[in-house]
Amino acid sequence: MNRISVIILGIFAVVIASLMGLVIVPNWQFEEMQPVEIISADGSKAVYPQKLDSWREAPGREVYRGLGCIYCHSQQVRPEGFGADIDRGWGSRRSVPRDYVFQSPPYLGTMRTGPDLANIGIRQPIEEWHLMHLFDPQITSPGSTMPSFKFLFETHEGSEPMTSIGIPAIQLPKAYTKKPTWIVPKKEAMDLVAYFLTLHQKFDLKDVK
């Protein structure tokens, strides 16, 4: 066997081993995973994780994808010793495959221009905060490099506008505008925030070793 044949066989072996180890076997293990029942210290029970509802949460995940949020935010908490994620308060434990059972594909992300969002639903559980943050991050997080998403809102000056049931009208801070100004989120903004509020990995799982 000449040298070229050995090199070709070596490359072929590396490709097959990588495909098996990084794609086929992990995918097979992931497909077998199921949600688990969590029993809290007070006796209450919950199933984790849960599917997103089709009204706001699942559409919100599509808005997240469409706006390219994944290019600046990850959704994975690294274990202790592999970064400062837990010290930063981005989660109380590392992420495990079961956290992503119903996410296809999971938006793990690789860039962290902004903070990790795996537990944003716990860190910031207030809907109004998220809406203000989307309208202009400088209102809630001065110095943030995140762009504003004002096109997801209607703006009204003067008195509080009438809105549909479940749609808030939020007055901007007086320091932000000279005239009384209200923002009303469009459906995409409400969907996106609903999705944010589902993001948590708060339960201790046996998978975490």
Side-chain angles (χ1 to χ4, degrees):
M1 182 177 296
N2 59 38
R3 182 176 294 180
I4 294 179
S5 298
V6 172
I7 292 174
I8 292 175
L9 285 175
I11 293 173
F12 184 73
V14 169
V15 171
I16 294 298
S18 300
L19 184 65
M20 291 292 295
L22 298 177
V23 179
I24 296 178
V25 172
N27 189 57
W28 171 74
Q29 293 175 320
F30 190 74
E31 286 183 344
E32 295 297 314
M33 282 195 172
Q34 297 294 326
V36 293
E37 184 179 70
I38 306 293
I39 302 177
S40 303
D42 62 1
S44 60
K45 298 180 180 179
V47 174
Y48 175 84
Q50 294 190 354
K51 292 183 178 180
L52 301 179
D53 70 42
S54 59
W55 180 53
R56 287 211 184 282
E57 297 168 355
R61 190 169 188 269
E62 286 302 301
V63 176
Y64 183 89
R65 181 190 60 78
L67 293 177
C69 303
I70 192 174
Y71 295 113
C72 291
H73 295 282
S74 60
Q75 292 185 24
Q76 51 176 317
V77 179
R78 294 174 295 184
E80 290 183 298
F82 288 86
D85 293 7
I86 294 176
D87 291 338
R88 288 169 174 163
W90 290 351
S92 58
R93 62 165 175 81
R94 70 178 176 91
S95 301
V96 294
R98 198 178 303 278
D99 292 316
Y100 308 97
V101 164
F102 292 124
Q103 300 184 32
S104 181
Y107 294 151
L108 299 178
T110 57
M111 297 292 289
R112 283 179 165 172
T113 305
D116 185 86
L117 299 182
N119 287 287
I120 190 61
I122 298 175
R123 299 206 308 271
Q124 296 291 352
I126 307 300
E127 179 185 81
E128 182 174 320
W129 185 93
H130 285 284
L131 292 170
M132 293 273 275
H133 189 68
L134 286 172
F135 181 79
D136 189 343
Q138 300 305 318
I139 298 175
T140 54
S141 307
S144 172
T145 58
M146 177 174 150
S148 64
F149 292 86
K150 294 181 180 178
F151 58 89
L152 296 177
F153 297 83
E154 295 177 354
T155 304
H156 300 263
E157 289 187 350
S159 58
E160 181 177 357
M162 296 287 290
T163 62
S164 303
I165 295 175
I167 304 297
I170 303 171
Q171 186 172 17
L172 294 177
K174 294 181 179 178
Y176 190 81
T177 58
K178 295 180 180 179
K179 300 179 179 178
T181 304
W182 303 77
I183 58 173
V184 177
K186 298 178 181 177
K187 180 181 185 303
E188 291 83 357
M190 293 298 295
D191 291 350
L192 182 56
V193 172
Y195 172 62
F196 284 149
L197 296 180
T198 69
L199 295 177
H200 72 81
Q201 298 173 356
K202 64 182 180 182
F203 294 112
D204 291 328
L205 300 177
K206 294 180 180 178
D207 313 47
V208 182
K209 300 177 181 177

PDB file of all heavy atoms in Angstrom, residues 131-132 134-135 149-157 159-164 167-172 180-190:
ATOM      1  N   LEU A 131     -39.747  44.252  27.626  1.00  0.00           N
ATOM      2  CA  LEU A 131     -40.274  45.102  26.563  1.00  0.00           C
ATOM      3  C   LEU A 131     -39.500  46.420  26.486  1.00  0.00           C
ATOM      4  O   LEU A 131     -39.145  46.887  25.398  1.00  0.00           O
ATOM      5  CB  LEU A 131     -41.761  45.352  26.791  1.00  0.00           C
ATOM      6  CG  LEU A 131     -42.658  44.105  26.622  1.00  0.00           C
ATOM      7  CD1 LEU A 131     -44.072  44.386  27.112  1.00  0.00           C
ATOM      8  CD2 LEU A 131     -42.680  43.641  25.159  1.00  0.00           C
ATOM      9  N   MET A 132     -39.237  46.995  27.644  1.00  0.00           N
ATOM     10  CA  MET A 132     -38.451  48.236  27.660  1.00  0.00           C
ATOM     11  C   MET A 132     -37.048  47.982  27.134  1.00  0.00           C
ATOM     12  O   MET A 132     -36.473  48.795  26.408  1.00  0.00           O
ATOM     13  CB  MET A 132     -38.395  48.779  29.089  1.00  0.00           C
ATOM     14  CG  MET A 132     -39.717  49.257  29.631  1.00  0.00           C
ATOM     15  SD  MET A 132     -40.065  50.971  29.237  1.00  0.00           S
ATOM     16  CE  MET A 132     -39.202  51.745  30.578  1.00  0.00           C
ATOM     17  N   LEU A 134     -36.096  45.710  24.971  1.00  0.00           N
ATOM     18  CA  LEU A 134     -36.143  45.556  23.525  1.00  0.00           C
ATOM     19  C   LEU A 134     -36.311  46.909  22.831  1.00  0.00           C
ATOM     20  O   LEU A 134     -35.671  47.168  21.801  1.00  0.00           O
ATOM     21  CB  LEU A 134     -37.295  44.630  23.118  1.00  0.00           C
ATOM     22  CG  LEU A 134     -37.108  43.134  23.377  1.00  0.00           C
ATOM     23  CD1 LEU A 134     -38.414  42.387  23.100  1.00  0.00           C
ATOM     24  CD2 LEU A 134     -35.995  42.563  22.500  1.00  0.00           C
ATOM     25  N   PHE A 135     -37.160  47.767  23.403  1.00  0.00           N
ATOM     26  CA  PHE A 135     -37.389  49.074  22.779  1.00  0.00           C
ATOM     27  C   PHE A 135     -36.098  49.884  22.744  1.00  0.00           C
ATOM     28  O   PHE A 135     -35.732  50.444  21.711  1.00  0.00           O
ATOM     29  CB  PHE A 135     -38.482  49.837  23.535  1.00  0.00           C
ATOM     30  CG  PHE A 135     -38.781  51.177  22.936  1.00  0.00           C
ATOM     31  CD1 PHE A 135     -39.588  51.275  21.807  1.00  0.00           C
ATOM     32  CD2 PHE A 135     -38.256  52.341  23.488  1.00  0.00           C
ATOM     33  CE1 PHE A 135     -39.853  52.519  21.232  1.00  0.00           C
ATOM     34  CE2 PHE A 135     -38.519  53.584  22.918  1.00  0.00           C
ATOM     35  CZ  PHE A 135     -39.320  53.679  21.797  1.00  0.00           C
ATOM     36  N   PHE A 149     -34.746  47.628  19.262  1.00  0.00           N
ATOM     37  CA  PHE A 149     -35.697  46.979  18.354  1.00  0.00           C
ATOM     38  C   PHE A 149     -37.008  47.762  18.369  1.00  0.00           C
ATOM     39  O   PHE A 149     -38.082  47.206  18.590  1.00  0.00           O
ATOM     40  CB  PHE A 149     -35.914  45.522  18.779  1.00  0.00           C
ATOM     41  CG  PHE A 149     -34.697  44.652  18.588  1.00  0.00           C
ATOM     42  CD1 PHE A 149     -33.716  44.571  19.563  1.00  0.00           C
ATOM     43  CD2 PHE A 149     -34.514  43.926  17.418  1.00  0.00           C
ATOM     44  CE1 PHE A 149     -32.578  43.799  19.383  1.00  0.00           C
ATOM     45  CE2 PHE A 149     -33.383  43.145  17.221  1.00  0.00           C
ATOM     46  CZ  PHE A 149     -32.405  43.078  18.207  1.00  0.00           C
ATOM     47  N   LYS A 150     -36.885  49.056  18.089  1.00  0.00           N
ATOM     48  CA  LYS A 150     -38.060  49.929  18.154  1.00  0.00           C
ATOM     49  C   LYS A 150     -39.105  49.583  17.104  1.00  0.00           C
ATOM     50  O   LYS A 150     -40.275  49.927  17.262  1.00  0.00           O
ATOM     51  CB  LYS A 150     -37.607  51.388  18.002  1.00  0.00           C
ATOM     52  CG  LYS A 150     -36.762  51.877  19.171  1.00  0.00           C
ATOM     53  CD  LYS A 150     -36.346  53.329  19.010  1.00  0.00           C
ATOM     54  CE  LYS A 150     -35.504  53.765  20.212  1.00  0.00           C
ATOM     55  NZ  LYS A 150     -35.036  55.170  20.089  1.00  0.00           N
ATOM     56  N   PHE A 151     -38.675  48.903  16.050  1.00  0.00           N
ATOM     57  CA  PHE A 151     -39.647  48.541  15.013  1.00  0.00           C
ATOM     58  C   PHE A 151     -40.637  47.480  15.504  1.00  0.00           C
ATOM     59  O   PHE A 151     -41.604  47.173  14.807  1.00  0.00           O
ATOM     60  CB  PHE A 151     -38.917  48.035  13.763  1.00  0.00           C
ATOM     61  CG  PHE A 151     -38.028  46.854  14.004  1.00  0.00           C
ATOM     62  CD1 PHE A 151     -38.530  45.558  13.906  1.00  0.00           C
ATOM     63  CD2 PHE A 151     -36.699  47.020  14.326  1.00  0.00           C
ATOM     64  CE1 PHE A 151     -37.725  44.464  14.113  1.00  0.00           C
ATOM     65  CE2 PHE A 151     -35.869  45.920  14.543  1.00  0.00           C
ATOM     66  CZ  PHE A 151     -36.377  44.640  14.448  1.00  0.00           C
ATOM     67  N   LEU A 152     -40.408  46.948  16.695  1.00  0.00           N
ATOM     68  CA  LEU A 152     -41.339  45.982  17.272  1.00  0.00           C
ATOM     69  C   LEU A 152     -42.427  46.670  18.110  1.00  0.00           C
ATOM     70  O   LEU A 152     -43.212  45.995  18.778  1.00  0.00           O
ATOM     71  CB  LEU A 152     -40.582  44.983  18.162  1.00  0.00           C
ATOM     72  CG  LEU A 152     -39.565  44.080  17.459  1.00  0.00           C
ATOM     73  CD1 LEU A 152     -38.852  43.194  18.479  1.00  0.00           C
ATOM     74  CD2 LEU A 152     -40.252  43.213  16.409  1.00  0.00           C
ATOM     75  N   PHE A 153     -42.443  48.018  18.067  1.00  0.00           N
ATOM     76  CA  PHE A 153     -43.367  48.773  18.918  1.00  0.00           C
ATOM     77  C   PHE A 153     -44.040  49.893  18.121  1.00  0.00           C
ATOM     78  O   PHE A 153     -43.497  50.376  17.119  1.00  0.00           O
ATOM     79  CB  PHE A 153     -42.601  49.407  20.086  1.00  0.00           C
ATOM     80  CG  PHE A 153     -41.975  48.401  21.010  1.00  0.00           C
ATOM     81  CD1 PHE A 153     -40.737  47.838  20.700  1.00  0.00           C
ATOM     82  CD2 PHE A 153     -42.607  48.012  22.179  1.00  0.00           C
ATOM     83  CE1 PHE A 153     -40.136  46.906  21.547  1.00  0.00           C
ATOM     84  CE2 PHE A 153     -42.021  47.080  23.025  1.00  0.00           C
ATOM     85  CZ  PHE A 153     -40.791  46.524  22.703  1.00  0.00           C
ATOM     86  N   GLU A 154     -45.201  50.308  18.615  1.00  0.00           N
ATOM     87  CA  GLU A 154     -45.827  51.540  18.179  1.00  0.00           C
ATOM     88  C   GLU A 154     -45.607  52.569  19.280  1.00  0.00           C
ATOM     89  O   GLU A 154     -45.631  52.225  20.469  1.00  0.00           O
ATOM     90  CB  GLU A 154     -47.321  51.318  17.937  1.00  0.00           C
ATOM     91  CG  GLU A 154     -47.624  50.366  16.791  1.00  0.00           C
ATOM     92  CD  GLU A 154     -49.115  50.117  16.629  1.00  0.00           C
ATOM     93  OE1 GLU A 154     -49.889  50.606  17.496  1.00  0.00           O
ATOM     94  OE2 GLU A 154     -49.503  49.432  15.677  1.00  0.00           O
ATOM     95  N   THR A 155     -45.390  53.803  18.901  1.00  0.00           N
ATOM     96  CA  THR A 155     -45.117  54.865  19.872  1.00  0.00           C
ATOM     97  C   THR A 155     -46.249  55.885  19.847  1.00  0.00           C
ATOM     98  O   THR A 155     -46.711  56.281  18.775  1.00  0.00           O
ATOM     99  CB  THR A 155     -43.784  55.562  19.543  1.00  0.00           C
ATOM    100  OG1 THR A 155     -42.742  54.581  19.510  1.00  0.00           O
ATOM    101  CG2 THR A 155     -43.434  56.589  20.605  1.00  0.00           C
ATOM    102  N   HIS A 156     -46.690  56.275  21.027  1.00  0.00           N
ATOM    103  CA  HIS A 156     -47.789  57.240  21.146  1.00  0.00           C
ATOM    104  C   HIS A 156     -47.384  58.341  22.122  1.00  0.00           C
ATOM    105  O   HIS A 156     -46.904  58.052  23.218  1.00  0.00           O
ATOM    106  CB  HIS A 156     -49.065  56.559  21.678  1.00  0.00           C
ATOM    107  CG  HIS A 156     -49.555  55.446  20.807  1.00  0.00           C
ATOM    108  ND1 HIS A 156     -50.549  55.619  19.865  1.00  0.00           N
ATOM    109  CD2 HIS A 156     -49.169  54.140  20.722  1.00  0.00           C
ATOM    110  CE1 HIS A 156     -50.766  54.457  19.242  1.00  0.00           C
ATOM    111  NE2 HIS A 156     -49.941  53.547  19.747  1.00  0.00           N
ATOM    112  N   GLU A 157     -47.585  59.592  21.715  1.00  0.00           N
ATOM    113  CA  GLU A 157     -47.342  60.716  22.617  1.00  0.00           C
ATOM    114  C   GLU A 157     -48.669  61.202  23.189  1.00  0.00           C
ATOM    115  O   GLU A 157     -49.707  61.124  22.530  1.00  0.00           O
ATOM    116  CB  GLU A 157     -46.656  61.856  21.857  1.00  0.00           C
ATOM    117  CG  GLU A 157     -45.213  61.543  21.485  1.00  0.00           C
ATOM    118  CD  GLU A 157     -44.516  62.748  20.876  1.00  0.00           C
ATOM    119  OE1 GLU A 157     -45.205  63.755  20.576  1.00  0.00           O
ATOM    120  OE2 GLU A 157     -43.295  62.691  20.690  1.00  0.00           O
ATOM    121  N   SER A 159     -51.663  61.122  26.099  1.00  0.00           N
ATOM    122  CA  SER A 159     -52.299  60.280  27.113  1.00  0.00           C
ATOM    123  C   SER A 159     -52.129  58.801  26.773  1.00  0.00           C
ATOM    124  O   SER A 159     -51.797  58.445  25.637  1.00  0.00           O
ATOM    125  CB  SER A 159     -53.784  60.623  27.233  1.00  0.00           C
ATOM    126  OG  SER A 159     -54.427  60.458  25.977  1.00  0.00           O
ATOM    127  N   GLU A 160     -52.372  57.954  27.756  1.00  0.00           N
ATOM    128  CA  GLU A 160     -52.208  56.509  27.577  1.00  0.00           C
ATOM    129  C   GLU A 160     -53.142  55.989  26.482  1.00  0.00           C
ATOM    130  O   GLU A 160     -54.349  56.219  26.529  1.00  0.00           O
ATOM    131  CB  GLU A 160     -52.492  55.786  28.893  1.00  0.00           C
ATOM    132  CG  GLU A 160     -52.325  54.281  28.787  1.00  0.00           C
ATOM    133  CD  GLU A 160     -52.532  53.595  30.123  1.00  0.00           C
ATOM    134  OE1 GLU A 160     -52.743  54.316  31.131  1.00  0.00           O
ATOM    135  OE2 GLU A 160     -52.495  52.348  30.157  1.00  0.00           O
ATOM    136  N   PRO A 161     -52.623  55.287  25.494  1.00  0.00           N
ATOM    137  CA  PRO A 161     -53.466  54.795  24.393  1.00  0.00           C
ATOM    138  C   PRO A 161     -54.272  53.565  24.820  1.00  0.00           C
ATOM    139  O   PRO A 161     -53.888  52.836  25.741  1.00  0.00           O
ATOM    140  CB  PRO A 161     -52.444  54.442  23.313  1.00  0.00           C
ATOM    141  CG  PRO A 161     -51.224  54.058  24.077  1.00  0.00           C
ATOM    142  CD  PRO A 161     -51.200  54.954  25.286  1.00  0.00           C
ATOM    143  N   MET A 162     -55.390  53.369  24.132  1.00  0.00           N
ATOM    144  CA  MET A 162     -56.175  52.163  24.335  1.00  0.00           C
ATOM    145  C   MET A 162     -55.474  50.994  23.643  1.00  0.00           C
ATOM    146  O   MET A 162     -54.947  51.135  22.541  1.00  0.00           O
ATOM    147  CB  MET A 162     -57.583  52.344  23.752  1.00  0.00           C
ATOM    148  CG  MET A 162     -58.414  53.421  24.436  1.00  0.00           C
ATOM    149  SD  MET A 162     -58.965  52.906  26.080  1.00  0.00           S
ATOM    150  CE  MET A 162     -60.164  51.644  25.642  1.00  0.00           C
ATOM    151  N   THR A 163     -55.456  49.839  24.287  1.00  0.00           N
ATOM    152  CA  THR A 163     -54.818  48.662  23.694  1.00  0.00           C
ATOM    153  C   THR A 163     -55.742  47.460  23.808  1.00  0.00           C
ATOM    154  O   THR A 163     -56.713  47.474  24.561  1.00  0.00           O
ATOM    155  CB  THR A 163     -53.480  48.331  24.390  1.00  0.00           C
ATOM    156  OG1 THR A 163     -53.751  48.034  25.778  1.00  0.00           O
ATOM    157  CG2 THR A 163     -52.508  49.487  24.297  1.00  0.00           C
ATOM    158  N   SER A 164     -55.408  46.419  23.085  1.00  0.00           N
ATOM    159  CA  SER A 164     -56.186  45.189  23.159  1.00  0.00           C
ATOM    160  C   SER A 164     -55.917  44.492  24.487  1.00  0.00           C
ATOM    161  O   SER A 164     -54.901  44.751  25.160  1.00  0.00           O
ATOM    162  CB  SER A 164     -55.794  44.254  22.005  1.00  0.00           C
ATOM    163  OG  SER A 164     -55.985  44.894  20.765  1.00  0.00           O
ATOM    164  N   ILE A 167     -52.375  43.354  25.941  1.00  0.00           N
ATOM    165  CA  ILE A 167     -51.287  44.139  25.350  1.00  0.00           C
ATOM    166  C   ILE A 167     -51.079  45.379  26.217  1.00  0.00           C
ATOM    167  O   ILE A 167     -51.974  46.225  26.317  1.00  0.00           O
ATOM    168  CB  ILE A 167     -51.604  44.566  23.907  1.00  0.00           C
ATOM    169  CG1 ILE A 167     -51.929  43.342  23.054  1.00  0.00           C
ATOM    170  CG2 ILE A 167     -50.431  45.353  23.332  1.00  0.00           C
ATOM    171  CD1 ILE A 167     -50.786  42.357  22.909  1.00  0.00           C
ATOM    172  N   PRO A 168     -49.913  45.527  26.826  1.00  0.00           N
ATOM    173  CA  PRO A 168     -49.708  46.669  27.713  1.00  0.00           C
ATOM    174  C   PRO A 168     -49.318  47.937  26.948  1.00  0.00           C
ATOM    175  O   PRO A 168     -48.760  47.864  25.853  1.00  0.00           O
ATOM    176  CB  PRO A 168     -48.549  46.205  28.596  1.00  0.00           C
ATOM    177  CG  PRO A 168     -47.745  45.308  27.710  1.00  0.00           C
ATOM    178  CD  PRO A 168     -48.762  44.605  26.823  1.00  0.00           C
ATOM    179  N   ALA A 169     -49.629  49.061  27.543  1.00  0.00           N
ATOM    180  CA  ALA A 169     -49.084  50.344  27.091  1.00  0.00           C
ATOM    181  C   ALA A 169     -48.121  50.784  28.189  1.00  0.00           C
ATOM    182  O   ALA A 169     -48.496  50.879  29.356  1.00  0.00           O
ATOM    183  CB  ALA A 169     -50.194  51.361  26.899  1.00  0.00           C
ATOM    184  N   ILE A 170     -46.883  50.998  27.813  1.00  0.00           N
ATOM    185  CA  ILE A 170     -45.845  51.273  28.811  1.00  0.00           C
ATOM    186  C   ILE A 170     -45.338  52.695  28.618  1.00  0.00           C
ATOM    187  O   ILE A 170     -44.930  53.079  27.512  1.00  0.00           O
ATOM    188  CB  ILE A 170     -44.669  50.281  28.661  1.00  0.00           C
ATOM    189  CG1 ILE A 170     -45.182  48.841  28.781  1.00  0.00           C
ATOM    190  CG2 ILE A 170     -43.593  50.562  29.692  1.00  0.00           C
ATOM    191  CD1 ILE A 170     -44.147  47.799  28.433  1.00  0.00           C
ATOM    192  N   GLN A 171     -45.375  53.455  29.684  1.00  0.00           N
ATOM    193  CA  GLN A 171     -44.886  54.835  29.594  1.00  0.00           C
ATOM    194  C   GLN A 171     -43.373  54.852  29.729  1.00  0.00           C
ATOM    195  O   GLN A 171     -42.805  54.237  30.655  1.00  0.00           O
ATOM    196  CB  GLN A 171     -45.517  55.713  30.670  1.00  0.00           C
ATOM    197  CG  GLN A 171     -45.141  57.184  30.523  1.00  0.00           C
ATOM    198  CD  GLN A 171     -45.916  58.093  31.470  1.00  0.00           C
ATOM    199  OE1 GLN A 171     -46.509  57.617  32.447  1.00  0.00           O
ATOM    200  NE2 GLN A 171     -45.942  59.381  31.184  1.00  0.00           N
ATOM    201  N   LEU A 172     -42.729  55.564  28.808  1.00  0.00           N
ATOM    202  CA  LEU A 172     -41.275  55.662  28.879  1.00  0.00           C
ATOM    203  C   LEU A 172     -40.878  56.564  30.042  1.00  0.00           C
ATOM    204  O   LEU A 172     -41.627  57.470  30.432  1.00  0.00           O
ATOM    205  CB  LEU A 172     -40.730  56.231  27.567  1.00  0.00           C
ATOM    206  CG  LEU A 172     -40.928  55.337  26.338  1.00  0.00           C
ATOM    207  CD1 LEU A 172     -40.423  56.041  25.082  1.00  0.00           C
ATOM    208  CD2 LEU A 172     -40.205  54.009  26.509  1.00  0.00           C
ATOM    209  N   PRO A 180     -44.865  63.145  27.456  1.00  0.00           N
ATOM    210  CA  PRO A 180     -45.351  61.813  27.871  1.00  0.00           C
ATOM    211  C   PRO A 180     -45.457  60.899  26.655  1.00  0.00           C
ATOM    212  O   PRO A 180     -46.131  61.226  25.680  1.00  0.00           O
ATOM    213  CB  PRO A 180     -46.725  62.102  28.477  1.00  0.00           C
ATOM    214  CG  PRO A 180     -46.660  63.530  28.881  1.00  0.00           C
ATOM    215  CD  PRO A 180     -45.779  64.215  27.873  1.00  0.00           C
ATOM    216  N   THR A 181     -44.744  59.786  26.695  1.00  0.00           N
ATOM    217  CA  THR A 181     -44.678  58.884  25.554  1.00  0.00           C
ATOM    218  C   THR A 181     -44.925  57.455  25.995  1.00  0.00           C
ATOM    219  O   THR A 181     -44.386  57.016  27.023  1.00  0.00           O
ATOM    220  CB  THR A 181     -43.302  58.973  24.865  1.00  0.00           C
ATOM    221  OG1 THR A 181     -43.057  60.330  24.488  1.00  0.00           O
ATOM    222  CG2 THR A 181     -43.253  58.098  23.623  1.00  0.00           C
ATOM    223  N   TRP A 182     -45.719  56.767  25.216  1.00  0.00           N
ATOM    224  CA  TRP A 182     -46.084  55.379  25.529  1.00  0.00           C
ATOM    225  C   TRP A 182     -45.641  54.475  24.387  1.00  0.00           C
ATOM    226  O   TRP A 182     -45.685  54.867  23.218  1.00  0.00           O
ATOM    227  CB  TRP A 182     -47.597  55.255  25.711  1.00  0.00           C
ATOM    228  CG  TRP A 182     -48.150  56.166  26.772  1.00  0.00           C
ATOM    229  CD1 TRP A 182     -48.377  57.502  26.677  1.00  0.00           C
ATOM    230  CD2 TRP A 182     -48.517  55.789  28.106  1.00  0.00           C
ATOM    231  NE1 TRP A 182     -48.865  58.002  27.855  1.00  0.00           N
ATOM    232  CE2 TRP A 182     -48.964  56.966  28.755  1.00  0.00           C
ATOM    233  CE3 TRP A 182     -48.521  54.596  28.805  1.00  0.00           C
ATOM    234  CZ2 TRP A 182     -49.409  56.963  30.071  1.00  0.00           C
ATOM    235  CZ3 TRP A 182     -48.967  54.594  30.116  1.00  0.00           C
ATOM    236  CH2 TRP A 182     -49.399  55.763  30.736  1.00  0.00           C
ATOM    237  N   ILE A 183     -45.239  53.299  24.735  1.00  0.00           N
ATOM    238  CA  ILE A 183     -44.922  52.312  23.702  1.00  0.00           C
ATOM    239  C   ILE A 183     -45.899  51.139  23.834  1.00  0.00           C
ATOM    240  O   ILE A 183     -46.254  50.716  24.931  1.00  0.00           O
ATOM    241  CB  ILE A 183     -43.468  51.800  23.800  1.00  0.00           C
ATOM    242  CG1 ILE A 183     -43.187  51.185  25.175  1.00  0.00           C
ATOM    243  CG2 ILE A 183     -42.486  52.919  23.503  1.00  0.00           C
ATOM    244  CD1 ILE A 183     -41.830  50.500  25.279  1.00  0.00           C
ATOM    245  N   VAL A 184     -46.331  50.659  22.671  1.00  0.00           N
ATOM    246  CA  VAL A 184     -47.252  49.515  22.629  1.00  0.00           C
ATOM    247  C   VAL A 184     -46.586  48.419  21.801  1.00  0.00           C
ATOM    248  O   VAL A 184     -46.291  48.632  20.614  1.00  0.00           O
ATOM    249  CB  VAL A 184     -48.606  49.901  22.007  1.00  0.00           C
ATOM    250  CG1 VAL A 184     -49.508  48.675  21.905  1.00  0.00           C
ATOM    251  CG2 VAL A 184     -49.269  50.996  22.832  1.00  0.00           C
ATOM    252  N   PRO A 185     -46.306  47.287  22.402  1.00  0.00           N
ATOM    253  CA  PRO A 185     -45.600  46.224  21.665  1.00  0.00           C
ATOM    254  C   PRO A 185     -46.480  45.585  20.598  1.00  0.00           C
ATOM    255  O   PRO A 185     -47.676  45.377  20.792  1.00  0.00           O
ATOM    256  CB  PRO A 185     -45.247  45.217  22.765  1.00  0.00           C
ATOM    257  CG  PRO A 185     -46.262  45.444  23.837  1.00  0.00           C
ATOM    258  CD  PRO A 185     -46.577  46.912  23.795  1.00  0.00           C
ATOM    259  N   LYS A 186     -45.831  45.276  19.465  1.00  0.00           N
ATOM    260  CA  LYS A 186     -46.513  44.494  18.429  1.00  0.00           C
ATOM    261  C   LYS A 186     -46.479  43.020  18.831  1.00  0.00           C
ATOM    262  O   LYS A 186     -45.804  42.624  19.781  1.00  0.00           O
ATOM    263  CB  LYS A 186     -45.814  44.703  17.085  1.00  0.00           C
ATOM    264  CG  LYS A 186     -45.837  46.149  16.589  1.00  0.00           C
ATOM    265  CD  LYS A 186     -45.086  46.293  15.276  1.00  0.00           C
ATOM    266  CE  LYS A 186     -45.080  47.735  14.799  1.00  0.00           C
ATOM    267  NZ  LYS A 186     -44.283  47.917  13.557  1.00  0.00           N
ATOM    268  N   LYS A 187     -47.185  42.208  18.057  1.00  0.00           N
ATOM    269  CA  LYS A 187     -47.275  40.783  18.383  1.00  0.00           C
ATOM    270  C   LYS A 187     -45.883  40.135  18.482  1.00  0.00           C
ATOM    271  O   LYS A 187     -45.630  39.330  19.381  1.00  0.00           O
ATOM    272  CB  LYS A 187     -48.104  40.050  17.320  1.00  0.00           C
ATOM    273  CG  LYS A 187     -48.250  38.556  17.598  1.00  0.00           C
ATOM    274  CD  LYS A 187     -49.055  37.862  16.520  1.00  0.00           C
ATOM    275  CE  LYS A 187     -49.290  36.395  16.864  1.00  0.00           C
ATOM    276  NZ  LYS A 187     -48.072  35.640  17.076  1.00  0.00           N
ATOM    277  N   GLU A 188     -44.986  40.516  17.584  1.00  0.00           N
ATOM    278  CA  GLU A 188     -43.652  39.910  17.595  1.00  0.00           C
ATOM    279  C   GLU A 188     -42.925  40.181  18.912  1.00  0.00           C
ATOM    280  O   GLU A 188     -42.214  39.301  19.420  1.00  0.00           O
ATOM    281  CB  GLU A 188     -42.819  40.428  16.415  1.00  0.00           C
ATOM    282  CG  GLU A 188     -43.290  39.954  15.062  1.00  0.00           C
ATOM    283  CD  GLU A 188     -44.424  40.798  14.508  1.00  0.00           C
ATOM    284  OE1 GLU A 188     -44.893  41.720  15.208  1.00  0.00           O
ATOM    285  OE2 GLU A 188     -44.839  40.525  13.366  1.00  0.00           O
ATOM    286  N   ALA A 189     -43.080  41.367  19.439  1.00  0.00           N
ATOM    287  CA  ALA A 189     -42.424  41.695  20.712  1.00  0.00           C
ATOM    288  C   ALA A 189     -43.029  40.889  21.853  1.00  0.00           C
ATOM    289  O   ALA A 189     -42.303  40.360  22.712  1.00  0.00           O
ATOM    290  CB  ALA A 189     -42.552  43.189  20.991  1.00  0.00           C
ATOM    291  N   MET A 190     -44.369  40.768  21.866  1.00  0.00           N
ATOM    292  CA  MET A 190     -45.024  40.004  22.924  1.00  0.00           C
ATOM    293  C   MET A 190     -44.629  38.530  22.839  1.00  0.00           C
ATOM    294  O   MET A 190     -44.380  37.869  23.857  1.00  0.00           O
ATOM    295  CB  MET A 190     -46.540  40.149  22.817  1.00  0.00           C
ATOM    296  CG  MET A 190     -47.073  41.546  23.112  1.00  0.00           C
ATOM    297  SD  MET A 190     -46.719  42.107  24.796  1.00  0.00           S
ATOM    298  CE  MET A 190     -47.696  40.939  25.767  1.00  0.00           C
TER     299      MET A 190
END
